[in-house]
Amino acid sequence: MAANTSLDPMDLYDVDAELGDEERMVRDSVARFVDTEALPLMREAFEQHAFPRELIAKVAELGLLGSSISGYDCAGLNSVCYGLICQELERCDSGLRSFVSVQSSLVMYPIHAFGSDEQKQRWLPALAKGDAVGCFGLTEPHGGSDPGNMKTHARRDGDDWIVNGAKMWITNATIADVAVVWAKTDEGIKGFLLEKNMPGFTAQEIENKFSLRASVTGALFFDDVRVPAANVLPGVSSLKGPLSCLTQARYGITWGVIGAAQACLAEALSYAGERVLFGRPLTHTQMIQVRLADMARRITTAQLLSLRLGRIKDRGELRPAQVSLAKWNNCRAAIDIARDARDILGGSGISAEYVPVRHMLNLESVITYEGTETVHQLTVGRELTGVNAFG
Ligand code: TGC
Ligand code: FAD
């Protein structure tokens, strides 16, 4: 009996049917942009260890920066649209999705949620248009999993604040016009908007990465940086501030990694269909079919988790442990799929001509940043048991 070919291999449960017209339209327009304008640049960008900055104006023009914010020249789209944007961008490369995640969830979101009217007017339209680039400084050199123990600190000096310390592994660090920097103060953890030319504020690129090569990553240093009170986010004074931003970005990542996994499955299907060994294409062997089926199973599970999460988020009922479960599950699924797809391609799997190895290497960062797998497992464990096992 012939196999049923009517299902979409990238969407076995027809998640597409659960989407509204606007959600489908957003996904399809980002997909077109990815296929025609972004993907052709990405292999070389990865090889050159450079973020293709020419794409900033294009993602801005498509309304992808701060897309969940209403007003301030932003698109005001729902959370599922944001997720679909991340999915299509990461189908291209995690570095491109990272750029949009950081700008949207980690820079524009805190300015919108915790900023003054003046800060919103000044920064949000510029960030939405891509005229300004932002970065988010939370992780420090001594250990990113425990940001409550940060060393960067700020003290009042008249109407100003003086910031000292350092941040590490910061996406967009050296190309940012504004950095949302979290620092300890006598009044709790506060967010500071540091501008690139402030005396004492420097950024240094981290070179020779084997992962996220098409993304800028760097360190930030603060040596007695004088920051006016007008640059402090007035709406939050605790760890809840930066952790709320992470919830937004982690949600987007749950969708993003589905795109990377789909790209790997597509490549594995195509390669295995053409590769003839022992007198038949690889797709005719049971073992390869089991491996492809397992990829589809994991992708389908991830799609259902993210869609459900998006609907919960749009109802305003999202809980951090729910995001942790999906970040853990979907990143694990994607990295396993990428590694397996690389193996199905044999020696070709290590070539930049095929996408799995690039996604596989990128996903090593994605499974680490925004909370490592262990951090998310322990977050779910804490939710189940009521016991904090981090310490
Ligand atoms: P804990 O006591 O759990 O929480 C302190 C306060 O924050 C609240 N909260 C959250 N709020 C919103 N979203 C979340 N996810 C939240 N998690 C906790 C919590 O309710 C509490 O509020 P309140 O009112 O009671 O004060 O804090 P803890 O110190 O025990 O930390 C818990 C832990 C380990 C989960 C947290 O520190 C953590 O998430 N660590 C991982 C750090 C991390 O993910 N860093 C990411 C840096 S940014 C990045 O990687 C960007 S990459 C981007 C890219 O390029 O795409
Ligand atoms: P550590 O916290 O030192 O963890 C080391 C190991 O210990 C991990 O395996 C971890 O899971 C494990 N571990 C930690 N705690 C426990 C525990 N209680 N029990 C058991 N095991 C534990 N940060 C930002 O602030 N902004 C950015 O824009 C940003 N961009 C990034 C871009 C890239 C490419 C990368 C790689 C990272 C980026 N990060 C950013 C940093 C990222 O969030 C951190 O790398 C991550 O949170 C982990 O922190 P760490 O690297 O210091 O590892």
Side-chain angles (χ1 to χ4, degrees):
M1 196 165 114
N4 180 353
T5 53
S6 63
L7 296 176
D8 176 355
M10 300 301 141
D11 184 11
L12 285 187
Y13 270 33
D14 200 11
V15 166
D16 181 74
E18 303 296 319
L19 303 179
D21 289 345
E22 184 175 62
E23 291 163 348
R24 243 179 253 124
M25 194 188 72
V26 167
R27 181 200 55 200
D28 293 346
S29 68
V30 182
R32 268 193 305 277
F33 157 74
V34 161
D35 290 335
T36 58
E37 305 197 51
L39 263 173
L41 304 182
M42 211 39 78
R43 175 179 160 188
E44 193 182 334
F46 189 90
E47 288 181 32
Q48 299 297 320
H49 205 310
F51 174 64
R53 289 176 72 169
E54 59 269 43
L55 294 180
I56 298 177
K58 295 182 178 175
V59 293
E61 202 181 302
L62 280 170
L64 310 188
L65 301 176
S67 63
S68 308
I69 293 173
S70 297
Y72 306 98
D73 296 337
C74 299
L77 299 172
N78 72 9
S79 301
V80 171
C81 286
Y82 175 54
L84 291 163
I85 290 168
C86 290
Q87 175 187 289
E88 291 311 310
L89 294 177
E90 198 149 354
R91 184 168 60 78
C92 177
D93 192 272
S94 303
L96 181 57
R97 196 269 309 138
S98 261
F99 178 84
V100 170
S101 290
V102 169
Q103 184 97 340
S104 303
S105 290
L106 298 181
V107 177
M108 297 176 74
Y109 170 81
I111 293 174
H112 188 249
F114 309 123
S116 64
D117 285 344
E118 190 198 353
Q119 290 164 350
K120 292 181 206 180
Q121 294 294 350
R122 173 161 178 217
W123 288 109
L124 293 178
L127 290 159
K129 288 188 205 115
D131 293 340
V133 169
C135 71
F136 176 89
L138 181 63
T139 303
E140 301 195 347
H142 63 273
S145 297
D146 183 16
N149 189 31
M150 68 177 70
K151 310 289 181 227
T152 298
H153 59 91
R155 62 176 167 81
R156 281 189 188 271
D157 187 48
D159 285 343
D160 299 335
W161 290 82
I162 308 294
V163 180
N164 277 288
K167 300 287 176 180
M168 185 69 180
W169 299 114
I170 306 304
T171 301
N172 295 344
T174 54
I175 61 168
D177 302 285
V178 60
V180 176
V181 170
W182 298 94
K184 262 196 178 146
T185 76
D186 288 344
E187 300 156 37
I189 291 173
K190 286 183 173 290
F192 294 82
L193 302 180
L194 265 61
E195 298 175 39
K196 71 174 170 192
N197 292 323
M198 286 179 166
F201 176 32
T202 49
Q204 191 182 343
E205 185 158 358
I206 297 171
E207 291 169 349
N208 307 320
K209 291 179 296 170
F210 284 116
S211 174
L212 272 209
R213 288 173 63 82
S215 172
V216 175
T217 315
L220 303 175
F221 302 99
F222 323 113
D223 183 8
D224 282 336
V225 185
R226 181 170 290 277
V227 183
N231 284 39
V232 182
L233 297 176
V236 73
S237 293
S238 77
L239 193 57
K240 202 177 177 76
L243 293 184
S244 309
C245 305
L246 300 186
T247 292
Q248 311 303 314
R250 289 166 176 173
Y251 162 74
I253 287 172
T254 74
W255 284 90
V257 294
I258 295 169
Q262 287 173 323
C264 294
L265 172 57
E267 192 89 280
L269 274 171
S270 145
Y271 191 90
E274 286 169 16
R275 187 76 168 171
V276 176
L277 294 165
F278 301 101
R280 56 188 183 159
L282 276 179
T283 42
H284 291 225
T285 66
Q286 289 185 356
M287 201 56 222
I288 293 290
Q289 285 201 11
V290 168
R291 290 164 73 182
L292 295 169
D294 195 54
M295 292 182 194
R297 172 182 68 81
R298 285 163 178 263
I299 287 172
T300 304
T301 310
Q303 286 169 318
L304 295 174
L305 283 188
S306 286
L307 181 66
R308 171 78 183 142
L309 212 52
R311 298 289 181 228
I312 296 174
K313 189 169 190 299
D314 277 330
R315 288 206 308 266
E317 294 168 4
L318 192 66
R319 301 277 300 273
Q322 294 172 320
V323 183
S324 281
L325 183 77
K327 204 270 182 183
W328 160 24
N329 181 78
N330 294 11
C331 288
R332 171 53 58 191
I335 200 167
D336 287 349
I337 288 168
R339 287 171 179 164
D340 207 29
R342 204 244 24 98
D343 180 74
I344 286 176
L345 270 62
S348 302
I350 69 152
S351 165
E353 277 187 37
Y354 299 91
V355 299
V357 72
R358 178 164 53 80
H359 285 297
M360 182 190 100
L361 292 169
N362 282 339
L363 288 162
E364 294 290 347
S365 286
V366 181
I367 203 168
T368 297
Y369 66 33
E370 291 288 354
T372 64
E373 187 170 64
T374 306
V375 160
H376 292 296
Q377 289 166 331
L378 294 178
T379 299
V380 174
R382 182 167 71 175
E383 184 71 26
L384 297 179
T385 62
V387 177
N388 186 348
F390 284 103

